[in-house]
Each structure stands twice: as C-alpha cells, then as structure tokens.
Amino acid sequence: VDEANGFNIRFPARWALRTFNGEPWILDCGDIHAGLISIGFSPCPPNYRADRLLPETIARRIRRRPNTILHAQGRTLIDGHQSIWSKSTGPLPTTTGAPRMTQVQYIVPLTDGRVLELRVAAPPDQFNELASLFSKSLTTFHLDQRESGK
C-alpha cells in the first residue's frame, strides 16, 4: 500500500522492494537478474486521456534507444483506466548499470495531473517464464478512490 501516491499492489512473495524519490520511478520489486516490477509517476495535463496517446509517437521514442527492438504495442485497461503498452528488448538503465532486458511498459494517464507508469522486465531468456507471475501482480494493482476518480 502506498498512501502517498494512492495505490496498492501485491508483489510476488520474497521479492525485495526498493523505493526511490521519483523522476519517474518510485519503486522496484524484484531484481534485474530474476524479474522486476517497477512503478513510477510523471506529470501530465489533468484529465489527459489514453486515447490521445499515439502508439507511433511512443514507438519512435523506443526505436531511438540504442540497441533496442520494439516487439509490439497495444491498448488495455489497468484498474479500469485506459492505457497503452509497449513491449521491447534493450538496455534497461538501473542504478547499477544497463542490463539487456525484455520489458512491457504500461502508460496510464490519470485524471489528477499524473501519468502512471508500470513496467515489468526480465532478462530476455526468462521473460516468458515470468509472464504469468507479472500478470498476477498487475491484476492486483488498484488506485485509491482519490486518484482514480471512481
């Protein structure tokens, strides 16, 4: 439970949790060797909607990253909020380096002037093995009433 940022989520058992000061990531759960779930927030105009996010614009940003391959993109719901997701493989900047990771990043505009960013990542040879575990955690993600506008 993160009352300051208005959400709760259940992470995989025994995965270590680290918190940060933002910009945009506020927490990581897991590690770069065995799977990682990250949550962050970025500013955006209040009441900005996911249908205004253009997959092409996000794809261009991803393709500009050195040694990065964009695999797929789509739209989905995160706790009832429209979002766009992108799956890619490439270097993932961390506090300890930039290991090559496969990641799916979800961008979820909120109505309160923030964009929620959820990311699941793992070494490419482990990503498919962890997909079910990632999915189970993401389905538990819930924004509180204040942030979600529900």
Side-chain angles (χ1 to χ4, degrees):
V1 174
D2 183 324
E3 291 180 10
N5 290 293
F7 72 89
N8 61 70
I9 186 171
R10 181 172 292 279
F11 293 113
R14 296 180 299 281
W15 280 28
L17 184 66
R18 287 171 306 289
T19 59
F20 309 100
N21 288 331
E23 313 265 342
W25 305 108
I26 62 165
L27 69 81
D28 282 338
C29 186
D31 67 56
I32 58 173
H33 305 292
L36 186 65
I37 299 171
S38 305
I39 298 175
F41 293 93
S42 299
C44 80
N47 298 312
Y48 192 81
R49 295 172 30 140
D51 58 1
R52 295 183 62 195
L53 291 172
L54 300 176
E56 305 80 33
T57 302
I58 295 168
R60 276 194 301 275
R61 269 194 346 227
I62 292 169
R63 288 184 182 119
R64 274 186 275 199
R65 296 180 196 152
N67 304 312
T68 301
I69 300 165
L70 175 64
H71 301 291
Q73 289 184 293
R75 295 187 183 271
T76 192
L77 294 175
I78 299 289
D79 190 32
H81 294 268
Q82 291 289 328
S83 70
I84 190 167
W85 60 268
S86 300
K87 182 178 182 182
S88 63
T89 299
L92 180 69
T94 69
T95 57
T96 59
R100 186 165 177 77
M101 304 282 274
T102 295
Q103 65 176 324
V104 176
Q105 185 160 340
Y106 301 85
I107 300 173
V108 188
L110 304 177
T111 58
D112 64 356
R114 299 182 301 165
V115 169
L116 164 67
E117 297 183 52
L118 290 172
R119 176 179 65 201
V120 297
D125 61 338
Q126 296 177 35
F127 189 86
N128 289 340
E129 281 180 40
L130 291 168
S132 175
L133 189 61
F134 289 149
S135 180
K136 285 179 186 175
S137 280
L138 292 181
T139 60
T140 70
F141 184 87
H142 180 69
L143 291 159
D144 72 16
Q145 295 263 6
R146 172 193 66 199
E147 304 303 338
S148 68
K150 291 181 183 174

